């Protein structure tokens, strides 16, 4: 028999929700033997969340009871089948009008809720709980109780009585509320142990954005703020808001890693430092993505795992362009050392992208590429905190010792350049690419504008892109006007890179 101390420890242990990511936000799960409120407008995923909670309990050998006043058993089973679930082993108690079942011959208990007094309804629920003796209970929904009560005081008294009864039965309970009849005086927030609020927002273009918020959880330190989630086949998946300070401390100092190009390493003062971020910026066509592919190829040659998140190019186009630079990425992809994730900005939420990056980093990725930040900004058109998102992400990657490459396309081709977002101050290294004109040809130049982790060249070097890859020339000292966006070269043409036969 369990002693008092063991029982107390058991009562303090949270009950897992069965939903990926939600337990992390709830600091382990729901409070055992307590009543929680899950509220949100119709269609936000309350029923799906409740079913996942009961299914997780079934897997752990716990009894589950779903009390429904708004949906029939048939509707619940149909919803479960869309996710590939079976509700066998879960008790479903209905309080619905018979005419809504469309099958008066089916063998189940049906009660016309509108003909019942509120006290009778609550009494029937209590009787069913005593019969089933469940560990987990879903009550869907308290808005129906609110309609039956016809008064805020009577409603609160009945719900409080039901809550106390379920707590005495040691049931971990979720009250679902669709907010269709919400009124301040009948709010359940003061009566329940915790509150989970589900939000669904329709953007001007693209898929709906779903977020949840924990507004209350007594006696527990939970993650506040908004957290993105999605509903797909298999149920809800929550992406906790990234908080860099909660993860490992800074990685140990290591020698810089090579970019695979000797001249570029010299320009960078020896290469790229682990745990730092490098912002590669310039107008479209200057070779930002091509330069990034060379750095990725060098990392793969060292045996590292790399994640490339592409907003602007599909997987097929990226592989084909790498092949055009004599860089073969197919083998690394087949071996699982290179992950190519193409992102549709209209469909993916920032939280889901953060979750995907975290998953790859926890699996061992040592280099992460975001190409480009312009596409990332488009993925969150109504988000006002891109800088904060990137600050948390770069801090997290830095603490994990990951080499991060950020590609940012500036507006315009020649003349003064403007960036859609200023990330130079949170990036450890800034590499600037520019077009320039010399000898009647359009050429490309690169320079390092900033490097926090050590010295670097302050010179400007020319580079060329051809079928043999990327070539970087010696330092060019006769440049002026680079920062204006229209650099001019006044030195002899003999110091410039001559095109090879395949580039002529």
């Amino acid at each position: 028999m369990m002693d008092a101390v063991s029982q107390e420890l058991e009562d303090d242990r949270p009950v897992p929700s069965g939903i990926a990511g939600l337990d992390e936000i709830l600091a382990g799960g729901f409070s055992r033997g307590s009543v929680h409120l899950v509220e949100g407008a119709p269609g936000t995923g309350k029923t799906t969340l409740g079913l996942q909670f009961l299914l997780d309990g079934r897997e752990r050998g716990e009894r589950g009871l779903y009390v429904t006043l708004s949906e029939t058993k048939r509707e619940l089973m149909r919803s479960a089948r869309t996710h590939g679930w079976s509700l066998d082993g879960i008790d479903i108690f209905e309080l619905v009008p018979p005419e809504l079942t469309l099958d008066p011959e089916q063998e189940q208990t049906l009660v016309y809720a509108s003909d019942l007094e509120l006290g009778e309804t609550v009494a029937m629920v209590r009787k069913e709980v005593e019969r089933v003796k469940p560990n987990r209970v879903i009550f869907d929904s308290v808005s129906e109780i609110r309609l039956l009560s016809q008064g805020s005081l009577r409603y609160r008294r009945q719900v409080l009585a039901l809550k106390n009864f379920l707590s005495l039965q040691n049931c971990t309970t979720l009250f679902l509320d669709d907010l269709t009849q919400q009124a301040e005086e009948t709010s359940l927030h003061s009566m329940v142990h915790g509150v989970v609020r589900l939000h669904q927002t329709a953007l001007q273009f693209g898929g709906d954005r779903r977020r949840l918020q924990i507004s209350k959880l007594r006696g527990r330190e939970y993650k506040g703020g908004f957290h993105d989630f999605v509903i797909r086949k298999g149920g809800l998946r929550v992406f906790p808001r990234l908080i860099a300070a909660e993860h490992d401390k800074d990685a140990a100092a290591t020698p810089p890693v090579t970019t695979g190009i000797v001249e570029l390493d010299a320009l960078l003062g020896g290469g790229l430092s682990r745990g730092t971020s490098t912002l590669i910026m310039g107008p479209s066509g200057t070779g930002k993505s091509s330069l990034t592919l060379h750095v990725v190829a060098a990392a793969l040659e060292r045996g590292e795992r790399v994640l490339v998140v592409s907003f602007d190019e599909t997987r097929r186009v990226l592989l084909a362009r790498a092949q055009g630079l004599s860089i073969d990425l197919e083998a690394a992809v087949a071996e699982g050392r290179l992950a190519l994730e193409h992102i549709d900005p209209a469909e993916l939420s920032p939280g889901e992208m953060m979750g995907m990056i975290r998953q790859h980093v926890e699996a061992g990725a040592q280099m992460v590429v975001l190409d480009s930040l312009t596409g990332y900004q488009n993925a969150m058109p109504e988000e006002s905190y891109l800088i904060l998102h990137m600050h948390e992400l770069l801090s997290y990657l830095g603490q994990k010792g990951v080499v991060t490459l950020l590609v940012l396309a500036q507006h315009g081709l020649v003349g003064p350049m403007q960036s859609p977002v200023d990330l130079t101050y949170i990036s450890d290294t800034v590499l600037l690419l520019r077009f320039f004109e010399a000898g009647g040809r359009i050429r490309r130049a690169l320079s390092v504008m900033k490097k926090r982790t050590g010295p670097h060249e302050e010179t400007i070097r020319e580079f060329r892109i051809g079928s043999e890859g990327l070539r970087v020339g010696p330092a060019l000292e006769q440049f002026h006007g680079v920062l204006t966006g229209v650099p001019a070269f006044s030195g002899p043409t003999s110091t410039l890179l001559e095109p090879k036969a395949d580039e002529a």
Side-chain angles (χ1 to χ4, degrees):
M1 187 173 181
M2 186 177 296
D3 57 32
V5 176
S6 300
Q7 182 63 52
E8 185 175 349
L9 292 175
E10 177 68 16
D11 291 341
D12 291 340
R13 189 166 55 88
V15 179
S17 66
I19 300 173
L22 182 56
D23 288 342
E24 179 180 340
I25 298 171
L26 293 170
F30 294 106
S31 298
R32 187 175 301 273
S34 300
V35 175
H36 305 76
L37 176 64
V38 180
E39 60 181 11
T44 51
K46 300 182 300 299
T47 300
T48 304
L49 185 152
L51 290 176
Q52 284 182 262
F53 179 64
L54 295 184
L55 290 171
D56 179 76
R58 186 184 65 182
E59 295 299 317
R60 300 173 186 273
E62 300 177 2
R63 293 293 300 271
L65 172 64
Y66 197 109
V67 180
T68 174
L69 285 80
S70 56
E71 291 187 82
T72 66
K73 182 175 181 179
R74 176 178 296 178
E75 290 171 328
L76 287 173
M77 296 183 69
R78 183 186 300 119
S79 298
R81 284 196 297 270
T82 62
H83 293 288
W85 300 333
S86 169
L87 298 184
D88 294 342
I90 294 177
D91 290 275
I92 300 176
F93 181 60
E94 301 176 79
L95 292 171
V96 295
E99 61 268 22
L100 295 183
T101 66
L102 302 181
D103 185 8
E105 301 300 326
Q106 59 183 336
E107 296 180 0
Q108 55 185 324
T109 303
L110 297 172
V111 181
Y112 195 2
S114 63
D115 284 344
L116 294 175
E117 292 291 339
L118 176 60
E120 294 179 278
T121 304
V122 174
M124 293 184 65
V125 173
R126 294 178 58 171
K127 183 177 180 181
E128 185 68 9
V129 170
E130 291 174 344
R131 184 187 70 83
V132 176
K133 294 181 172 54
N135 304 101
R136 305 188 183 198
V137 176
I138 301 297
F139 195 93
D140 184 10
S141 71
V142 292
S143 60
E144 302 296 333
I145 296 294
R146 184 184 295 119
L147 291 173
L148 284 174
S149 63
Q150 299 179 354
S152 60
L153 179 59
R154 187 164 179 249
Y155 165 70
R156 289 178 64 87
R157 284 180 174 176
Q158 289 292 341
V159 172
L160 186 60
L162 184 59
K163 171 220 167 184
N164 292 336
F165 169 76
L166 292 169
S167 297
L168 289 174
Q169 300 297 314
N170 201 30
C171 299
T172 305
T173 307
L174 302 185
F175 283 171
L176 309 187
D177 188 0
D178 59 18
L179 302 179
T180 53
Q181 299 289 332
Q182 186 182 32
E184 185 65 29
E185 66 272 17
T186 60
S187 173
L188 293 174
H189 290 206
S190 62
M191 291 188 285
V192 297
H193 195 85
V195 179
V196 180
R197 181 73 178 269
L198 305 182
H199 301 262
Q200 182 176 4
T201 305
L203 304 180
Q204 293 183 352
F205 180 82
D208 290 350
R209 188 65 45 83
R210 299 178 185 270
R211 302 190 297 177
L212 66 81
Q213 178 187 21
I214 311 299
S215 58
K216 173 184 177 181
L217 191 61
R218 288 175 180 161
R220 305 275 290 285
E221 187 175 355
Y222 59 90
K223 285 189 177 181
F226 289 102
H227 309 270
D228 290 333
F229 74 95
V230 294
I231 302 178
R232 299 199 176 109
K233 185 173 182 178
L236 271 74
R237 184 181 178 191
V238 181
F239 307 99
R241 180 171 57 86
L242 180 62
I243 303 176
E246 295 180 349
H247 298 272
D248 296 343
K249 300 301 180 182
D250 292 342
T254 56
V257 296
T258 179
T259 63
I261 304 172
V262 176
E263 295 83 1
L264 182 56
D265 288 339
L267 187 65
L268 290 167
L272 299 174
S273 300
R274 292 198 182 276
T276 64
S277 58
T278 300
L279 178 63
I280 304 173
M281 58 190 302
S284 178
T286 48
K288 301 180 297 299
S289 297
S290 298
L291 177 62
T292 301
L293 285 175
H294 277 272
V295 181
V296 168
L300 294 173
E301 289 180 2
R302 294 192 297 269
E304 298 180 6
R305 299 183 63 174
V306 180
L307 167 66
V308 177
V309 181
S310 174
F311 292 90
D312 307 324
E313 293 180 321
T314 64
R315 177 191 181 100
R316 178 182 58 82
V317 171
L318 191 147
L319 291 173
R321 189 160 59 80
Q323 194 68 41
L325 296 171
S326 299
I327 300 175
D328 186 10
L329 301 179
E330 296 281 1
V333 172
E335 295 169 4
R337 294 187 296 115
L338 174 61
L340 301 178
E341 298 284 355
H342 175 64
I343 303 300
D344 183 354
E347 299 297 330
L348 192 76
S349 67
E352 186 172 359
M353 195 196 76
M354 290 277 197
M356 179 265 294
I357 293 175
R358 283 183 60 184
Q359 182 179 0
H360 282 280
V361 171
E362 299 296 335
Q366 297 167 278
M367 178 177 289
V368 173
V369 177
L370 295 182
D371 187 6
S372 66
L373 289 176
T374 307
Y376 180 49
Q377 185 182 30
N378 292 333
M380 41 194 306
E382 297 186 4
E383 299 282 348
S384 304
Y385 303 103
L386 174 62
I387 299 295
L388 291 178
H389 273 259
M390 291 307 303
H391 182 275
E392 291 296 324
L393 177 60
L394 295 181
S395 297
Y396 164 76
L397 294 174
Q399 291 169 355
K400 292 294 186 179
V402 174
V403 176
T404 308
L405 301 180
L406 310 171
V407 178
L408 178 62
Q410 294 180 295
H411 297 316
L413 290 176
V414 295
M417 301 291 171
Q418 293 184 345
S419 301
V421 59
D422 183 14
L423 293 174
T424 56
Y425 80 95
I426 63 174
S427 302
D428 299 303
T429 304
V430 177
L431 193 59
L432 181 65
L433 280 64
R434 282 287 186 266
F435 290 113
F436 73 97
E437 180 183 357
R441 298 178 67 98
I442 297 176
R443 299 174 182 266
R444 297 174 175 87
L446 60 86
S447 56
V448 176
M449 306 299 294
K450 165 188 174 182
K451 186 180 180 185
R452 284 191 179 127
T453 56
H456 63 88
E457 280 191 9
E458 297 178 346
T459 60
I460 301 171
R461 292 176 179 262
E462 183 193 5
F463 71 98
R464 293 186 68 87
I465 303 172
S467 60
E468 295 300 319
L470 189 145
R471 293 189 296 144
V472 178
L476 300 175
E477 299 177 353
Q478 294 84 8
F479 257 113
H480 62 86
V482 174
L483 299 183
T484 67
V486 189
F489 179 68
S490 57
T493 56
S494 59
T495 60
L496 298 175
L497 289 172
E498 292 297 328
K500 293 183 178 181
D502 63 328
E503 301 173 1

